[in-house]
Structure formats: structure tokens, C-alpha cells
Amino acid sequence: MSAALLLLADGRFPAGGHAHSGGAEAAVADGRITDAAGLAAFCRGRLHTTGPVAAALAAAAAAGLDPLVLDEAADARTPSPVLRAVSRRLGRQLLRAARAAWPAPALDLLAASRPRGAHQPVVLGVAARAAGLAPIDAARAAAYETAGSPATATVRLLGLDPFAATAVLARLAPEIDAVADAATAAAERARTDGTGALPAASAPLLDIAAERHAARPTRLFAS
């Protein structure tokens, strides 16, 4: 595995993800995550809904498809205004970090074209390409993040045993790989068939919870 991929997927990479729970805080508040079993169910659901979308967008961007076209496709696949804003905010921070780590004209052009931020999975793919990574690498990083963010956040939110949270991710590893493989294949089809070939799975409960979470007067995470 490339060291660049390890760096890009590392939670310590300064891309802003530490401030976001991937919907876990709202799920904890609603009683849908109370223990490791609930975390596993939540992460699996997120992996198989938002996961394929994010992974395919990242893979397509890493394959060299037009990131501005992909950014529009990401917008169409993100019905929640709050989540659209979150994705762009994360994308802007990731872009800053990627430009420092792997300077490249493609990253500069994306920053100039989307000064308020492009969607995070698209930026992830462009950053992966700048780092010399393959589309499958970008897809794996994106798919892993859909489960990794809630798992990390739940340790802080519930005081969940970090060993139990890590075990959840370890057991999901084959599914994360499968989602990344399918997303990479979809990105390849998008070369000839356009962005309509990319996954468009939805998670209405996550969208609703994100809107409610944003209105909470006190919260630990931004989303």
C-alpha cells in the first residue's frame, strides 16, 4: 500500500474531519447508537448508502474526469442543504491540506474554480491523483471514511471502548473493499456513459438527522 494513501486516509491529516461525526452525534442523541452493536449497524448502513456515492465520485476524480462536472453530480446526489454545505466545507479544508502536501496545477485550478469549496469526495479524488494514487485508492479512502468517522466520533460521544470501535471497522473491512471495487468500476463506466453511471444511493434518515442536528443549540460535532 502506498504511503501517500496512508497519509491521505490518516485521521490526523489536517482535512477537518475531526470536527465531524458523519451523523453519529445525531444518531446517539436519538438513541440509535448506544453500544458497539448499534455503531456497527450505523456504520454498515452509511457504508452502503453514502459510501458508494462518495467512493465513486472520488474514483472518477482520481481517474481524471472533469472535477467540476463531478462536483455538479455530487450536488445532485446530496439533497440536504446542510450536508451540501458540510461537504463543501470539508472539501475546502482538504484542498488546502492537499495543496500543501502535493502541489499540482489540478488542485490550484479546482481551488480557483470553487473558492467556496468543492465537494469533499471530488477533492479527495483530485488529491489522490496529485499524490500519484490510483482510482481504487481514492475509492478505498472515501469508503473507509464513511465508516471511520462515525466510529471515531462515537468513542468520544459515548465513551465507547476504542477497542470495540476498532473491531467494528475491522469486521467491516471486506465490505469496505467491496464498496470501493464496485465504485471504481462505476467510475470507469462514467468515462463513456457520463456521471449518470455513478451511484446515486440515498439515506433519507441521515439527511433528516443532519438538518435537525444543525439546529441543535449545543453539539460536540459540526455534523
Side-chain angles (χ1 to χ4, degrees):
M1 180 181 290
S2 167
L5 175 57
L6 294 175
L7 177 61
L8 192 60
D10 191 334
R12 292 165 294 186
F13 191 68
H18 66 279
H20 298 266
S21 74
E25 184 167 20
V28 168
D30 291 342
R32 289 183 285 113
I33 300 178
T34 59
D35 54 19
L39 174 63
F42 181 86
C43 289
R44 178 171 284 109
R46 195 165 189 264
L47 174 63
H48 290 286
T49 51
T50 63
V53 176
L57 287 165
L65 275 69
D66 186 341
L68 300 184
V69 173
L70 293 172
D71 196 54
E72 293 176 358
D75 229 31
R77 289 161 171 76
T78 313
S80 163
V82 165
L83 291 182
R84 284 199 298 272
V86 165
S87 181
R88 291 192 180 281
R89 188 159 60 246
L90 285 170
R92 185 169 63 248
Q93 180 66 19
L94 174 58
L95 190 54
R96 288 182 61 196
R99 292 173 76 190
W102 303 289
L107 293 170
D108 295 338
L109 180 60
L110 184 56
S113 301
R114 291 288 188 272
R116 298 181 64 183
H119 281 283
Q120 193 268 357
V122 177
V123 177
L124 178 62
V126 178
R129 185 177 177 88
L133 299 173
I136 183 61
D137 296 320
R140 284 177 179 146
Y144 173 76
E145 187 176 35
T146 62
S149 291
T152 300
T154 304
V155 171
R156 294 172 61 186
L157 289 163
L158 288 177
L160 188 69
D161 182 352
F163 292 99
T166 300
V168 166
L169 294 178
R171 294 184 186 111
L172 284 175
E175 293 176 57
I176 291 171
D177 285 339
V179 166
D181 289 342
T184 304
E188 184 61 29
R189 291 193 297 273
R191 286 180 178 275
T192 55
D193 298 341
T195 57
L198 299 176
S202 63
L205 186 55
L206 285 178
D207 296 333
I208 294 168
E211 297 292 328
R212 292 173 54 196
H213 180 266
R216 292 182 185 274
T218 58
R219 56 185 189 271
L220 182 61
F221 292 92
S223 69

